[in-house]
Amino acid sequence: QVQLVESGGGAVQAGASLRLSCALSGRTVTTSTMGWFRQGPGKEREFVATISASGGSIYYADSVKGRFTISRDNAKNTVYLQMNSLKPEDTAVYYCAARRSYVIGYVANEYNYWGQGTQVTVSS
């Protein structure tokens, strides 16, 4: 059974940093494309960042480029999202997802497995 467990969310002020973690079980991050998505209040779920199974391809949404960094620890089978210079518009539930493919995916329905989400709230 594949499970993803996110952690690291919280409430911070604008300009602060947070690091989200996503622990994967039942699959390995080295055979899965991993992604982070978010869903703000009243908004649709949107792509944030993705890392390919090989780790050689990483892509970000324009809204977070230069502020967020996706990475992974193969030994811990965990993916991270380092979020710096947080803005109120980053407020959302952040979801980790895994895709049974070596191909990068930017769309939520391309992913097969999802975590429960972790809340990030950024106040001005």
Side-chain angles (χ1 to χ4, degrees):
Q1 183 180 359
V2 178
Q3 288 189 320
L4 297 91
V5 179
E6 301 106 332
S7 60
V12 297
Q13 291 193 327
S17 298
L18 283 174
R19 189 177 80 156
L20 305 183
S21 299
C22 171
L24 176 66
S25 60
R27 285 187 70 82
T28 63
V29 295
T30 54
T31 59
S32 309
T33 288
M34 301 297 296
W36 286 97
F37 291 77
R38 66 185 182 185
Q39 188 165 12
K43 298 181 180 179
E44 294 186 355
R45 193 168 298 191
E46 64 175 359
F47 166 76
V48 175
T50 183
I51 182 169
S52 64
S54 70
S57 296
I58 290 175
Y59 293 95
Y60 299 95
D62 288 342
S63 58
V64 306
K65 202 172 295 183
R67 299 187 298 122
F68 291 11
T69 303
I70 188 171
S71 64
R72 71 185 194 195
D73 185 327
N74 294 345
K76 295 182 178 180
N77 215 33
T78 297
V79 176
Y80 303 98
L81 186 67
Q82 178 67 43
M83 306 185 296
N84 298 330
S85 302
L86 282 161
K87 304 175 181 180
E89 51 263 44
D90 294 319
T91 294
V93 177
Y94 283 72
Y95 297 91
C96 177
R99 185 181 185 205
R100 291 193 307 261
S101 172
Y102 287 80
V103 178
I104 287 287
Y106 306 96
V107 181
N109 63 14
E110 293 177 328
Y111 286 76
N112 306 103
Y113 309 102
W114 291 84
Q116 81 287 352
T118 185
Q119 177 71 47
V120 172
T121 303
V122 185
S123 58
S124 57

